[in-house]
């Protein structure tokens, strides 16, 4: 099962490392990643991941990522790919 993870907030060292480490701990593979810094220091990242072998149910993973975001002062959301696509279809 593929999922989309979005991250947004003030840029600082270690954001990508923290997010990917949390995913790796739950056996989630990063398939694609894009990130950008919007002036002056707003960090955004979108990741496509394979959560098919995730060690916890997807709802729990979404909660883990959201809580990580709170700990880091960021907004982190995880959605199933089909849900993400349905929400962004015109």
């Amino acid at each position: 099962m593929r999922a989309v993870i979005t991250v947004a907030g003030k840029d600082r060292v270690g954001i990508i490392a923290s997010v990917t480490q949390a995913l790796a701990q739950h056996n989630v593979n990063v398939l694609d990643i894009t990130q950008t810094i919007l002036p002056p220091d707003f960090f955004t990242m979108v990741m496509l991941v394979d959560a098919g072998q995730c060690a916890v149910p997807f709802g729990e993973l979404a909660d883990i990522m959201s809580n990580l975001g709170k700990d880091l002062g960021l907004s982190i959301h995880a959605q199933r790919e089909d849900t993400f696509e349905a929400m962004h279809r015109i």
Side-chain angles (χ1 to χ4, degrees), residues 50-71:
D50 180 355
Q53 301 299 315
C54 186
V56 297
F58 185 76
E60 187 174 335
L61 177 67
D63 290 342
I64 289 167
M65 298 311 296
S66 179
N67 289 332
L68 175 63
K70 290 175 187 170
D71 292 345

Side-chain angles (χ1 to χ4, degrees), residues 20-79:
T20 56
Q21 181 180 24
L23 293 171
Q25 287 175 346
H26 294 91
N27 203 35
V28 176
N29 186 38
V30 176
L31 301 173
D32 196 7
I33 183 172
T34 183
Q35 64 89 33
T36 194
I37 308 297
L38 301 172
D41 61 356
F42 189 75
F43 176 87
T44 63
M45 177 169 65
V46 179
M47 305 172 79
L48 178 64
V49 300
D50 180 355
Q53 301 299 315
C54 186
V56 297
F58 185 76
E60 187 174 335
L61 177 67
D63 290 342
I64 289 167
M65 298 311 296
S66 179
N67 289 332
L68 175 63
K70 290 175 187 170
D71 292 345
L72 297 174
L74 303 167
S75 173
I76 302 179
H77 297 282
Q79 296 178 299

